[in-house]
Amino acid sequence: MKMPEKINSPSALNPTVGPAQADIRARRKEDVLSGAMHNAILHCANFSSFATDPKGVIQFFNVGAERMLGYAAAEVMNKLTPADLSDPQDIISRTQALSAELDTPIAPGFEALVFKASRGIEDIYELTYIRKDGSRLPLIVSVTALHDSHDATIGYLFIGTDNTAGQKAKQVLSESETRLNLALKMSRIGGWDLDLTDHTAHRTQEHARIFGTDPELQIWDYEIFLEHVLPEDRAEVDRSFRKARAAQTGWDFECRIRRHDGKVRWIWATGEHQLDATGKMRRMAGIVQDITERKQVEEERARLTQTLKDKNAELEIARIAAERANVAKSSFLSSMSHELRTPLNSILGFAQLIDSGSTQPTATQKRNLEQILKSGWHLLELINEILDLSLIESDKIKLSQEPVSLELIMLECQVMLECQADTHGVAMSFQEMEAPYFVEADRTRLKQVLINLIFNAIKYNKPGGTVAVECTLSRPGSIRINVRDTGVGMTPEQLAQLFQPFNRLGREAGAEEGTGIGLVVTKRLVDLMGGAIDVESQVGKGSVFWIELKQTDEPRLVPPAAEQTTVTPAQVQVDAPLHTLLYIEENLANVMLMEELIARRTDIRLLTAREGNAGIELARTYLPDVILMGVKLPDISGLQVLRTLAEDLATAHIPVVALSANAMLRDIEKGLEAGFFRYLTKPIKVNEFMETLETALKFAAEK
């Protein structure tokens, strides 16, 4: 078949136009189109375009290139090459990549930019240009070789479009992939994809690492997986897989595997099924993670929890044993106190009676009585200190913190210790206070602390020595009380042992008696009151014991009268009415002592009973004005006697005073709560007893 002539041929359209004229017109049309394209490229601002000669020197630089790179055309034409405008590192990277791709050495520079284009290979790549101001511009560059009519290369055309957005997107994607890969690597998570028709699987490199197999080994299936699972766990894993597949639900399990290197590891895996177009489950994909460290932590936590439970059980047993020991110790101390105070009551009671009797003892008898009283009161002091120490150590001592006037409490201490200072030939001085000082403390315990410190300063002083008691504001909110003596002082070694129980610092053989407990009790009482205690001492110059307590501005009411240490004879009116006193006490010596005491009161008739029930009958028969009794009786307790008398309307009004060797704080509190009018402890203090008896008689008279 004959091919038709080209319809766009000028001679075909117009028979009057000859071939030569048509060819001229065609060339003119091409020139017009070429010129139009040249102008479009030259003036387009949306992409950069420049052309070079064969050596790479720029001959053409369009408006877009000027806008993008910041150079005027005159600044680059016939002066620079595209390599001069490019990032050197990009050129080096491209050179290396091309050399590896084409397996031929390529020199970095312009040749690397046009190597493919010069060989007729289409070339589009990413390149970073350096603007005139030094900033960077990422571009996608297309390079084309330019040829003349003889197909000779006359230059190269570079057309670039702005790739800033693409670079940013690429950077964001790269960063996202980096974070994802890092997260997967840090979390040690492997991925798997299981074909449920043939049980073959695809897995990630991390999955291979977890199982200890070659990451390049792609052969993996469900059976190979089960072979890695320990036999003890295999049946349960397979059962859970088949259950998940049958129910078309997720698969989640933990098990132990044996890696190819023989190590046993714990893994956790989970998978979700994927349905095909028919709704059938064809695939399952999921993740796996090595949880050996977590399992080890859980096992260690379980072990520690069990150990803690065992320790708590041991501590509970120890606590119960300690409580029983404390109860036993308290019972023993109470019993010891009772057994010691009962004979002491007779010893000190009769000694006080003889010392204060109408017939004065001889000088020798007087000295003997003084020794009896001194030894007896010392033994009582020892008992009290042991009980105090026991209460403090068992945390059973109760303090009543209140504002205490130092001026008044110092006065009481001075009155109580003047006789001791005179006996030892020591001069006492108490600093006059510029203003009233008050401290936050338990009044009774503070008095106990000060008496102990001042009495020690007297006792361990030298004949003709001095004891000075001073009060100063040591720091804001605190008051310091100094007890300064001129005794022998102490060495640093002795100071280090000062507050140890039963340690008398080598003075056991001295003339002064002591227990080695007083300072221990003193320190612990100061600590309980929120204060501080310490000592400064020099051998041969004396010591300064000081305590610091919190200052308060609240005033204090008039304190109780100071204790008296001498027996005052009772003053009885000649025509005083006759009173009846019933004494219920099992110990015959104590009964005899009471008979001697009451014999000095001609206005009191004494009735005695050795048992509780007998005392109740006497009380109902004679209705005494006052009842005095011990708490420990041979048949029933004194507390039971007290309840029986209180329940009887005939005897309920009679004041009942306890006189007991049960002298622990809890015994006293228990007795007062039970309803005793007063609770006196043995050994008896004659003045205290007489004053209490007088108070009880007045109370009975008012009923």
Side-chain angles (χ1 to χ4, degrees):
M1 179 180 293
K2 183 179 180 180
M3 295 295 293
E5 294 182 355
K6 294 181 179 179
I7 61 173
N8 60 349
S9 171
S11 60
L13 295 174
N14 188 357
T16 61
V17 178
Q21 291 177 323
D23 185 55
I24 292 172
R25 288 182 179 180
R27 285 199 299 270
R28 286 178 179 176
K29 185 176 181 180
E30 289 178 358
D31 290 341
V32 171
L33 289 174
S34 176
M37 291 175 61
H38 180 273
N39 288 332
I41 294 173
L42 180 64
H43 297 291
C44 180
N46 294 326
F47 59 88
S48 69
S49 177
F50 46 85
T52 70
D53 61 17
K55 295 182 179 180
V57 180
I58 297 174
Q59 303 296 314
F60 171 78
F61 202 75
N62 81 334
V63 174
E66 290 180 326
R67 181 184 66 81
M68 289 184 179
L69 300 180
Y71 289 99
E75 293 178 292
V76 296
M77 291 173 59
N78 297 313
K79 297 178 182 179
L80 301 178
T81 70
D84 296 327
L85 300 176
S86 303
D87 182 357
Q89 187 58 48
D90 277 13
I91 295 178
I92 293 173
S93 298
R94 175 164 177 77
T95 301
Q96 294 172 345
L98 278 175
S99 298
E101 178 185 351
L102 304 176
D103 193 23
T104 183
I106 300 173
F110 178 72
E111 181 185 3
L113 300 180
V114 299
F115 191 86
K116 282 188 174 182
S118 66
R119 287 158 177 75
I121 303 172
E122 182 182 4
D123 198 7
I124 299 175
Y125 53 84
E126 294 181 2
L127 189 67
T128 302
Y129 285 159
I130 307 299
R131 291 189 179 100
K132 183 179 179 181
D133 61 6
S135 61
R136 300 164 63 85
L137 177 65
L139 294 171
I140 296 178
V141 179
S142 173
V143 183
T144 305
L146 302 176
H147 302 281
D148 60 10
S149 58
H150 303 289
D151 204 28
T153 300
I154 60 175
Y156 298 92
L157 176 64
F158 289 75
I159 298 176
T161 57
D162 192 337
N163 192 34
T164 302
Q167 283 284 51
K168 287 183 178 179
K170 184 177 180 180
Q171 182 179 359
V172 170
L173 179 61
S174 175
E175 291 174 352
S176 177
E177 290 177 350
T178 300
R179 287 194 297 269
L180 177 60
N181 291 332
L182 180 61
L184 290 174
K185 183 178 180 181
M186 294 299 293
S187 60
R188 298 186 175 184
I189 295 176
W192 54 270
D193 184 358
L194 178 65
D195 188 330
L196 296 176
T197 58
D198 58 8
H199 283 187
T200 59
H202 297 283
R203 60 200 183 118
T204 64
Q205 288 188 349
E206 185 64 19
H207 185 288
R209 187 199 64 78
I210 291 174
F211 282 82
T213 57
D214 185 356
E216 301 300 327
L217 180 63
Q218 297 299 322
I219 300 174
W220 189 263
D221 58 27
Y222 180 71
E223 297 302 325
I224 296 176
F225 159 69
L226 280 182
E227 289 176 2
H228 284 77
V229 178
L230 292 190
E232 305 93 287
D233 299 350
R234 193 172 297 159
E236 177 59 26
V237 170
D238 189 50
R239 186 196 66 79
S240 66
F241 170 71
R242 297 181 185 282
K243 180 180 178 181
R245 182 174 180 180
Q248 295 192 0
T249 59
W251 186 30
D252 191 289
F253 65 94
E254 292 180 0
C255 69
R256 291 167 295 172
I257 63 168
R258 189 178 299 279
R259 290 162 44 99
H260 275 200
D261 57 11
K263 294 180 180 179
V264 175
R265 307 290 291 180
W266 273 95
I267 64 166
W268 165 77
T270 183
E272 292 293 336
H273 62 269
Q274 299 173 353
L275 303 180
D276 62 11
T278 64
K280 293 184 178 181
M281 188 166 69
R282 300 293 186 185
R283 307 190 69 80
M284 181 180 286
I287 59 174
V288 63
Q289 186 175 21
D290 189 325
I291 59 170
T292 305
E293 286 76 12
R294 193 195 80 191
K295 281 292 186 179
Q296 290 172 345
V297 170
E298 290 176 354
E299 291 173 0
E300 180 66 14
R301 183 184 296 116
R303 187 187 67 79
L304 291 176
T305 300
Q306 185 59 46
T307 301
L308 182 60
K309 288 180 179 179
D310 295 341
K311 290 294 183 183
N312 285 339
E314 292 176 7
L315 288 174
E316 181 63 16
I317 293 173
R319 184 189 65 80
I320 293 173
E323 287 183 353
R324 289 175 179 172
N326 278 333
V327 171
K329 182 177 72 173
S330 298
S331 177
F332 166 75
L333 289 173
S334 178
S335 176
M336 182 197 73
S337 173
H338 184 277
E339 296 303 321
L340 291 176
R341 287 173 184 273
T342 298
L344 265 181
N345 187 56
S346 299
I347 294 170
L348 292 175
F350 281 112
Q352 290 176 84
L353 283 176
I354 295 172
D355 190 43
S356 62
S358 57
T359 303
Q360 290 297 317
T362 65
T364 301
Q365 292 172 336
K366 184 72 172 177
R367 286 196 300 272
N368 294 341
L369 281 173
E370 288 176 355
Q371 287 301 318
I372 293 172
L373 289 170
K374 180 180 179 182
S375 299
W377 293 123
H378 174 67
L379 182 56
L380 179 63
E381 177 188 2
L382 174 59
I383 295 170
N384 289 335
E385 286 181 347
I386 291 175
L387 293 179
D388 274 345
L389 184 59
S390 173
L391 287 173
I392 293 172
E393 288 181 341
S394 61
D395 198 25
K396 291 182 179 180
I397 191 166
K398 295 182 179 179
L399 298 182
S400 177
Q401 297 284 88
E402 59 181 342
V404 179
S405 169
L406 287 182
E407 183 178 7
L408 294 177
I409 207 165
M410 291 296 183
L411 179 61
E412 294 179 27
C413 293
Q414 183 176 7
V415 170
M416 291 184 64
L417 295 171
E418 276 180 349
C419 182
Q420 295 290 344
D422 292 341
T423 302
H424 286 75
V426 173
M428 268 195 320
S429 65
F430 287 77
Q431 175 191 8
E432 291 188 9
M433 301 181 187
E434 298 178 356
Y437 286 153
F438 296 88
V439 292
E440 194 73 26
D442 182 289
R443 188 178 187 283
T444 301
R445 295 302 180 179
L446 176 57
K447 185 177 176 181
Q448 179 181 348
V449 166
L450 292 175
I451 288 175
N452 188 50
L453 293 179
I454 298 170
F455 183 65
N456 282 348
I458 295 171
K459 185 165 59 172
Y460 297 111
N461 215 314
K462 61 185 178 181
T466 60
V467 173
V469 183
E470 308 157 349
C471 294
T472 60
L473 293 172
S474 58
R475 52 193 174 90
S478 294
I479 293 181
R480 175 175 291 193
I481 304 171
N482 295 322
V483 179
R484 191 183 307 274
D485 67 61
T486 56
V488 295
M490 290 175 282
T491 65
E493 292 77 13
Q494 289 175 318
L495 289 173
Q497 307 172 44
L498 189 59
F499 295 105
Q500 296 177 0
F502 305 105
N503 190 339
R504 295 196 62 206
L505 308 181
R507 294 174 179 171
E508 294 83 355
E512 296 297 338
E513 297 176 336
T515 64
I517 302 176
L519 278 179
V520 179
V521 173
T522 296
K523 183 179 186 310
R524 296 186 184 179
L525 286 175
V526 172
D527 291 341
L528 288 173
M529 290 187 289
I533 181 171
D534 210 340
V535 61
E536 300 167 6
S537 185
Q538 289 185 338
V539 176
K541 294 185 179 180
S543 306
V544 180
F545 281 82
W546 57 262
I547 62 173
E548 278 189 1
L549 294 169
K550 181 181 178 182
Q551 184 183 15
T552 181
D553 295 329
E554 295 185 33
R556 177 80 185 148
L557 298 178
V558 178
E563 296 180 15
Q564 299 296 321
T565 58
T566 59
V567 178
T568 304
Q571 302 294 325
V572 182
Q573 297 180 5
V574 177
D575 56 348
L578 184 64
H579 302 290
T580 301
L581 171 65
L582 172 61
Y583 184 33
I584 308 173
E585 169 64 50
E586 67 165 334
N587 186 275
L588 182 59
N590 289 336
V591 174
M592 293 172 61
L593 173 61
M594 189 57 58
E595 289 174 346
E596 291 290 338
L597 279 173
I598 299 304
R600 299 186 177 188
R601 292 287 300 262
T602 57
D603 61 332
I604 297 178
R605 177 181 60 169
L606 179 65
L607 301 176
T608 61
R610 301 286 295 280
E611 294 181 348
N613 286 316
I616 293 172
E617 292 302 320
L618 285 176
R620 288 171 174 170
T621 302
Y622 292 96
L623 299 178
D625 298 282
V626 177
I627 298 175
L628 179 70
M629 68 175 177
V631 175
K632 186 176 180 181
L633 298 172
D635 53 350
I636 59 176
S637 72
L639 295 177
Q640 188 173 346
V641 174
L642 181 65
R643 285 194 295 270
T644 302
L645 295 175
E647 292 170 358
D648 192 331
L649 294 178
T651 56
H653 67 284
I654 303 174
V656 182
V657 177
L659 178 58
S660 175
N662 294 340
M664 297 188 73
L665 182 61
R666 61 182 179 83
D667 296 324
I668 297 172
E669 292 175 345
K670 185 178 179 181
L672 294 175
E673 290 173 359
F676 280 114
F677 180 75
R678 294 287 188 274
Y679 194 106
L680 303 180
T681 60
K682 298 175 183 177
I684 192 171
K685 295 178 181 178
V686 175
N687 284 345
E688 180 185 32
F689 169 71
M690 289 298 185
E691 290 174 0
T692 302
L693 179 58
E694 193 64 35
T695 301
L697 289 171
K698 289 181 179 178
F699 178 82
E702 295 173 356
K703 289 294 184 178

